């Protein structure tokens, strides 16, 4: 018993709950949108559907059989927590699939609108997988390979999965019609976008570089009106060969319009560029000015 306690030490209950909810959402989508409408999927889930369509092997069983060899790889690459969450995620997905196999919700009559089917299939898959990834887990298979690509090659999880999914869908065309394959591509593309949004979008922000002859006035107004700080960087213009201050500011997406209006009001001739920030942490975003964690607002 002691070694079990040591093995699970440091793991919290919250990720397990999120993984369960995520696999239920994912499993619901696979059974009620993909299978009910003859769509394939990408990754190892796509392979399980391929086996189901050709040999009537239930996805809940093939999902376990295909993922067992990858657990060892996951352990060596990501350590104890990753292994625990991956094994739990894979088991939870198989249970969720089995649950909806045995007790499906009444058939959703969308066969005449395959666009809606493919969109909903992608949203359910992306939402479920995104929640699992944010909790630190995977459902095995290509999820582990996707995390490898992100860790060692800087490739986003969603983009890697879309590439892998396209290869699996090509194989699935042994069973699928061309139309079904095209709708499946829509599904996996939507899923990849939703995954990236859930993983990165919740913390996304905008960064702005402001070049102006009135940077001090702009900085004061940003502090006064928005309660935001800025960083002054010294730069040199290539045409004028003169030094001037460049302001670097990071704001939430909903604050961007206010910032643009402020800049144009203080200096209509200011040059500024806006970039996406995938994740931001620190004072004003996750901590207040006293370095205390910010409480979510209702």
């Amino acid at each position: 018993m002691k070694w079990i306690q040591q093995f699970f030490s440091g793991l919290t209950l919250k990720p397990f709950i999120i993984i369960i909810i995520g696999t239920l959402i994912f499993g619901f989508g696979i059974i009620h949108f993909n299978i009910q409408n003859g769509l394939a999927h990408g990754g190892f889930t796509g392979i399980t559907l391929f086996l189901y369509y050709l040999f009537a092997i239930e996805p809940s069983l093939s999902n376990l059989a295909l993922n067992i060899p990858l657990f060892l790889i996951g352990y060596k690459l990501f350590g104890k927590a990753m292994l625990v969450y991956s094994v739990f995620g894979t088991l939870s997905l198989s249970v969720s699939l089995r649950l909806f196999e045995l007790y499906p919700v009444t058939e959703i009559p969308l066969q005449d609108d395959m666009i809606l089917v493919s969109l909903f299939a992608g949203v359910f898959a992306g939402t479920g997988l995104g929640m699992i990834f944010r909790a630190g887990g995977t459902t095995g298979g290509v999820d582990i390979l996707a995390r490898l690509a992100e860790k060692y090659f800087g490739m986003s999880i969603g983009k890697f999965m879309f590439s892998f999914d396209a290869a699996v869908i090509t194989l699935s065309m042994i069973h699928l019609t061309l139309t079904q394959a095209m709708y499946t591509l829509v599904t996996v593309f939507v899923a990849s976008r939703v995954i990236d949004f859930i993983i990165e979008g919740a913390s996304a922000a905008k960064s702005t570089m402001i070049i102006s002859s009135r940077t001090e006035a702009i900085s004061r107004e940003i502090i006064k009106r928005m309660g935001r700080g800025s960083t002054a960087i010294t730069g040199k213009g290539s045409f004028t060969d003169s030094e001037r201050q460049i302001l670097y500011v990071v704001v939430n997406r909903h604050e961007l319009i206010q910032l643009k209006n402020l800049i144009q009001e203080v200096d209509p001739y200011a040059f500024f560029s806006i970039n996406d920030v995938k994740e931001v942490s620190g004072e004003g975003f996750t901590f207040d000015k006293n370095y205390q964690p910010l409480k979510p607002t209702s």
Side-chain angles (χ1 to χ4, degrees):
M1 288 294 293
K2 188 176 181 180
W3 71 268
I4 295 178
Q5 292 177 347
Q6 291 176 344
F7 184 78
F8 285 98
S9 64
L11 302 178
T12 58
L13 181 62
K14 184 179 177 181
F16 291 101
I17 296 173
I18 294 174
I19 288 171
I20 290 173
I21 296 172
T23 53
L24 284 170
I25 293 172
F26 185 33
F28 179 90
I30 290 296
I31 298 298
H32 294 89
F33 292 107
N34 293 73
I35 290 181
Q36 284 188 8
N37 296 279
L39 294 182
H41 200 75
F44 274 39
T45 302
I47 296 173
T48 63
L49 292 179
F50 179 74
L51 295 174
Y52 173 78
Y53 291 137
L54 263 75
F55 306 110
I57 301 174
E58 294 173 347
S60 55
L61 297 176
S62 56
N63 177 65
L64 280 178
L66 289 171
N67 281 296
I68 288 174
L70 287 173
F71 288 143
L72 221 76
I73 299 174
Y75 175 74
K76 290 182 178 179
L77 290 169
F78 300 101
K80 179 185 71 174
M82 183 69 178
L83 174 67
V84 172
Y85 293 141
S86 294
V87 172
F88 184 78
T90 302
L91 291 173
S92 182
L93 178 58
S94 286
V95 171
S96 298
L97 288 169
R98 188 58 179 165
L99 177 67
F100 292 120
E101 285 169 357
L102 295 175
Y103 307 103
V105 177
T106 304
E107 186 172 338
I108 302 172
L110 289 175
Q111 290 81 1
D112 295 332
D113 195 341
M114 290 300 292
I115 289 291
L116 273 181
V117 169
S118 57
L119 290 176
F120 272 98
V123 169
F124 271 82
T127 301
L129 289 173
M131 291 177 67
I132 295 166
F133 291 149
R134 278 192 71 94
T138 74
T139 57
V142 70
D143 303 351
I144 293 176
L145 300 179
R147 283 184 173 271
L148 269 175
E150 182 189 42
K151 182 175 182 179
Y152 292 108
F153 302 105
M155 187 176 183
S156 78
I157 288 175
K159 288 179 181 177
F160 178 87
M161 292 184 69
F162 179 70
S163 301
F164 193 95
D165 292 346
V168 173
I169 293 166
T170 302
L171 175 65
S172 299
M173 287 186 69
I174 296 173
H175 166 77
L176 300 179
T177 64
L178 179 60
T179 302
Q180 288 173 318
M182 293 173 70
Y183 281 125
T184 299
L185 279 173
V186 173
T187 295
V188 297
F189 177 78
V190 171
S192 71
R193 297 300 92 198
V194 174
I195 288 169
D196 282 345
F197 175 77
I198 290 177
I199 293 175
E200 302 166 349
S203 301
K206 297 287 185 179
S207 68
T208 307
M209 300 286 286
I210 308 165
I211 303 173
S212 168
S213 59
R214 304 196 61 198
T215 52
E216 289 185 6
I218 292 173
S219 177
R220 285 196 301 268
E221 290 301 313
I222 290 173
I223 295 171
K224 179 181 176 181
R225 300 189 199 180
M226 304 179 64
R228 290 285 181 196
S230 59
T231 300
I233 306 168
T234 301
K236 180 182 285 189
S238 59
F239 283 103
T240 62
D241 200 36
S242 60
E243 289 189 353
R244 59 175 59 188
Q245 294 292 309
I246 303 169
L247 286 182
Y248 177 73
V249 187
V250 178
V251 297
N252 289 318
R253 284 175 294 182
H254 67 271
E255 297 175 313
L256 183 61
I257 296 298
Q258 183 183 1
L259 177 62
K260 289 170 66 176
N261 292 338
L262 183 154
I263 296 169
Q264 291 170 348
E265 180 183 327
V266 176
D267 183 4
Y269 301 101
F271 175 89
F272 60 93
S273 62
I274 299 169
N275 295 288
D276 290 322
V277 178
K278 290 187 176 181
E279 186 169 352
V280 61
S281 177
E283 185 177 343
F285 291 91
T286 54
F287 293 90
D288 62 20
K289 62 183 179 180
N290 298 315
Y291 300 100
Q292 297 300 313
L294 287 174
K295 296 181 180 179
T297 56
S298 55

